[in-house]
């Protein structure tokens, strides 16, 4: 340590901001290691280990050593219609949550960016769902959806629209019902990110456009949206990933039911790994999920960016 | 001006006195030009804002309402917003049915340790990432981004196997290790922003006076960062307090489990949930997160704003 600091001190005259590019001195390593070690051991390592598990027949509670089985897990997966059903549901869920979530959050962010009364209060209230445990969000909405004691069916009865239904156990209604909860739960993060993006909108341009008589929609299209676009792209891409990987909400709401109609891929993989003990097979599912999602996101992002160039 | 903008102005003034803060003023906080879109458009905006707030708030209000309803009221049709016969029985019953206090204790230990360890290891790392443009710093930034896209399945299976070999399954220390690594990406993201806001000249001045690097960090930089470090720690606490998936997989026996996992025990088999105690326990479990989130809310959104502006 003394060596390191002495060395650093001697170099102080050149100014701190410019150490030789690409190099860390001993002192810096000392600062980095406490975080780097856990990251390597508990994040990067397990990720690589997890990928390698996909090529083995690893199972829980087995005494004989696990063996490499090459692509056998992936071959099995290819013919596993249950998994692809689940995967399809995952995509419907992820798109069904991400798109409305973005549009609703955009509306809210634009409103909160206006000079309205109670804006501060509204901002605080609007991000409350962010602070809630996902399990509680699930419980809360189960109470809302409850066929008898729930407020949703009661409102429907009050409005004379029939008797309502058992939303979370109905074959047709379960997935839309959990999608609504997904939208609700992710609104605050998306809104805050978009509000941050709105700070990038050049106000002078906005005012100039208004002077020239551009309407609200035109101002949004030509001034606000171009400045907001990078943030919008980033947050929708992130939301899509988060939603596709989501677990706790649906676990609490329906636990994948009825009849697998809301069994997201994460729930499927969780059951495969920790109920049936098929670690290798579940890891292969994880790999397929990452691969497909990466490709979809790449196509989405490249498409959006190219669309921007052409305009 | 309205109350809202006054509070935000005092908030900004308070912030400006603290050099550790991101000092870029938030444009949206400035009073805007006098509105030219008065009348019906304004009214429509208030109406839309109200609709958003109702959508975001009503499930939580329903949860609170349900928690005070006696079992007879919950069993009958036509539930009301205000309990006809409010009671605290659900709260008593919740504590009788499940080991809530013990679970809260476990959650507290896990979240507190994870938050403290996370900021202690993340602060020096964030410092290096902010001040040195090295390969490692870039790799760390890359990890922060990529880690957001990890599918939990791919990480949890190997983590489970590793922790099992270390005999850290079903133990809080094992869970805490996972939470630390899990909290690091966001902690680093926030802290790098805060470190960048500390003028490097201050550190150089200390170095000229002969302070070692560690000394400079401890007695110059960290005090300036303190508010940011506290906010980051509180956020890490909230995420760990709310976390469900890792706790579900890693903690097996009821006396070790954290609050979100214990809450799911109230759900029972399909449709048999005891709604009153369920609502009461869920409400209590949310309170700590809500209180802490209210405290750090502006700082978190501010940190995200700063990150977005820089990014």
């Amino acid at each position: 340590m003394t060596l390191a600091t002495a060395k650093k001190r001697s170099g102080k005259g050149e100014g701190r901001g410019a150490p030789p590019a690409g190099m860390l001195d001993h002192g810096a390593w000392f600062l980095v290691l406490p975080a780097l070690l856990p990251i390597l051991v508990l994040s990067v390592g397990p990720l690589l280990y997890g990928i390698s598990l996909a090529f083995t027949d690893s199972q829980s509670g087995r005494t004989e050593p696990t063996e490499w089985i090459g692509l056998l897990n992936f071959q099995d997966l290819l013919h596993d219609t249950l998994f692809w059903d689940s995967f399809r549901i995952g995509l419907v869920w992820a798109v069904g949550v991400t798109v409305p979530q973005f549009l609703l959050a955009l509306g809210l962010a634009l409103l909160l960016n206006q000079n309205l009364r109670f804006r501060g209060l509204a901002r605080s209230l609007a991000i409350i769902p962010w602070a809630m445990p996902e399990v509680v969000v699930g419980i809360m909405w189960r109470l809302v959806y409850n066929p008898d004691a729930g407020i949703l069916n009661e409102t429907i009865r009050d409005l004379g629209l029939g008797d309502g239904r058992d939303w979370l156990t109905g074959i047709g209604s379960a997935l839309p019902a959990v999608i609504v909860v997904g939208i609700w739960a992710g609104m605050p993060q998306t809104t805050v990110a978009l509000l941050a993006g709105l700070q990038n909108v050049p106000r002078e341009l906005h005012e100039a456009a208004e002077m020239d008589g551009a309407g609200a929609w035109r101002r949004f299209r030509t001034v606000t949206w171009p400045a907001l676009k990078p943030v919008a792209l980033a947050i929708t891409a992130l939301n899509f990933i988060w939603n596709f990987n989501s677990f706790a909400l649906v676990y609490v709401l329906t636990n994948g039911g009825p009849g697998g109609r809301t069994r997201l891929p994460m729930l499927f993989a969780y059951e495969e790994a920790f109920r049936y003990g098929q670690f290798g097979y579940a890891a292969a599912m994880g790999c397929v999920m990452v691969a497909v999602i990466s490709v979809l996101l790449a196509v989405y992002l490249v498409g959006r960016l190219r669309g921007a160039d052409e305009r | 001006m309205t109350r809202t903008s006054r509070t935000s102005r005092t908030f900004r003034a308070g912030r400006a006195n603290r050099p550790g803060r991101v000092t870029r003023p938030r444009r949206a906080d400035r009073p805007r030009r006098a509105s030219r879109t008065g009348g019906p458009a304004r009214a429509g905006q208030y109406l839309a804002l109200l609709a958003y707030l109702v959508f975001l708030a009503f499930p939580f209000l329903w949860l609170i309402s349900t928690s005070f309803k006696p079992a007879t009221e919950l069993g009958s049709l036509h539930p009301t917003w205000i309990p006809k016969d409010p009671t605290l029985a659900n709260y008593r019953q919740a504590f009788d049915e499940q080991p809530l206090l013990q679970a809260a204790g476990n959650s507290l230990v896990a979240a507190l340790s994870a938050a403290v360890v996370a900021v202690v290891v993340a602060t020096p790392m964030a410092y290096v990432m902010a001040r040195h443009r090295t390969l490692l710093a870039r790799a760390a930034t890359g990890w922060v981004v990529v880690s957001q896209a990890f599918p939990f399945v791919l990480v949890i299976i190997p983590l489970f196997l590793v922790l099992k070999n270390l005999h850290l399954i079903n133990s809080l220390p094992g869970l805490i290790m996972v939470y630390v690594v899990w909290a690091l990406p966001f902690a680093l993201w926030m802290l790098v922003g805060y470190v960048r806001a500390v003028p490097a000249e201050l550190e150089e001045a200390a170095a000229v006076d002969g302070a070692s690097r560690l000394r400079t960090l401890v007695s110059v930089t960290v005090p300036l960062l303190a508010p940011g470090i506290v906010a980051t720690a509180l956020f890490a606490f909230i995420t760990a307090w709310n976390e469900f998936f890792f706790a579900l997989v890693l903690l097996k026996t009821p006396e070790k489990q954290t609050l979100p996992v214990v809450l799911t025990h109230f759900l029972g088999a399909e449709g048999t949930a005891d709604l009153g105690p369920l609502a009461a326990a869920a409400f209590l479990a949310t309170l700590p997160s809500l209180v802490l989130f209210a405290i750090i809310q502006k700082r978190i959104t501010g940190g995200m704003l700063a990150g977005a502006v820089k990014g």
Side-chain angles (χ1 to χ4, degrees), chain A residues 146-164:
Chain A
N146 190 285
D148 301 327
I151 185 64
L152 183 60
N153 275 355
E154 179 59 17
T155 311
I156 288 173
R157 284 190 292 261
D158 279 352
L159 295 174
L161 297 173
D163 281 340

Side-chain angles (χ1 to χ4, degrees), chain A residues 142, chain B residues 266-275:
Chain A
R142 272 180 76 133
Chain B
F266 280 101
L267 292 172
E270 192 60 51
T272 60
D274 203 349
L275 299 181

Side-chain angles (χ1 to χ4, degrees), chain A residues 109-125:
Chain A
L110 288 170
L111 278 175
L112 291 177
N113 206 38
Q114 298 284 319
N115 189 24
L116 297 179
R117 258 167 216 268
F118 310 118
R119 191 188 52 191
L121 182 69
R123 267 191 198 184
S124 307
L125 286 177

Side-chain angles (χ1 to χ4, degrees), chain B residues 202-226:
Chain B
L202 283 176
E203 288 160 12
E204 277 156 22
V208 169
D209 290 346
S212 72
R213 182 209 296 250
L214 195 63
R215 182 73 208 273
T216 312
L217 188 59
V218 168
S219 35
V220 177
T221 318
V222 167
L224 293 175
L225 284 177

Side-chain angles (χ1 to χ4, degrees), chain B residues 34-112:
Chain B
S35 160
R36 268 169 244 162
T37 49
R42 244 316 99 113
Q45 288 178 338
Y46 280 111
L47 218 62
L49 192 58
L50 189 70
Y52 271 113
L53 291 183
V54 167
F55 174 61
L56 288 169
F58 89 92
F60 189 51
L61 297 176
W62 189 248
L63 175 81
I64 298 172
S65 160
T66 306
S67 76
F68 291 109
K69 285 178 183 165
T72 49
E73 205 175 322
L74 288 169
S76 67
L77 274 179
H78 302 301
T80 49
W81 274 102
I82 311 288
K84 289 174 203 135
D85 189 12
T87 170
L88 284 173
N90 292 326
Y91 287 84
R92 207 171 317 120
Q93 203 185 330
F95 281 93
D96 288 345
E97 275 181 26
Q98 297 291 342
L100 284 186
L101 277 181
Q102 193 174 39
N106 292 338
S107 279
L108 187 69
V109 170
L112 202 62

Side-chain angles (χ1 to χ4, degrees), chain A residues 8 12 16 19 24-25 31 43 46 104 117 119-120 124 127 131-133 136 149 154 184 196 210 242 247 269 290, chain B residues 4 28 33 46 52 55-56 60 62 78 124 127 132 136 143 148 151 153 158 207 213 242 245 248 286 289 297 305:
Chain A
K8 185 66 205 169
K12 276 286 155 57
R16 174 176 288 264
L24 277 184
D25 53 86
L31 293 174
S43 175
L104 282 174
R117 258 167 216 268
R119 191 188 52 191
S124 307
I127 61 172
M132 291 189 169
V136 171
E154 179 59 17
W184 185 90
E210 200 177 346
W242 284 333
F247 177 83
V290 187
Chain B
T4 327
R33 65 188 182 279
Y46 280 111
Y52 271 113
F55 174 61
L56 288 169
F60 189 51
W62 189 248
H78 302 301
Y127 175 80
H132 299 254
L136 184 77
W143 174 80
Q148 291 304 305
V153 232
R213 182 209 296 250
N242 291 352
F245 184 59
L248 175 73
T286 316
S289 301
Q297 182 237 110
L305 297 177

Side-chain angles (χ1 to χ4, degrees), chain A residues 84-99:
Chain A
W84 293 107
D85 281 347
S86 161
F87 201 91
R88 196 178 44 78
I89 292 167
L91 285 179
V92 172
W93 149 270
V95 174
V97 172
T98 307
V99 174

Side-chain angles (χ1 to χ4, degrees), chain B residues 147-187:
Chain B
S147 65
Q148 291 304 305
F150 280 11
F152 295 128
V153 232
L154 262 190
V155 185
I156 189 68
I157 298 170
L159 267 180
F160 181 83
L161 294 175
V162 169
L163 290 175
K164 200 171 167 192
N165 284 334
L166 299 170
H167 300 287
L168 285 172
I169 291 294
N170 201 24
S171 85
L172 284 180
L175 187 70
I176 290 165
M177 284 163 63
V178 175
Y179 280 178
V180 168
V181 174
W182 194 60
L184 276 179
F186 196 77

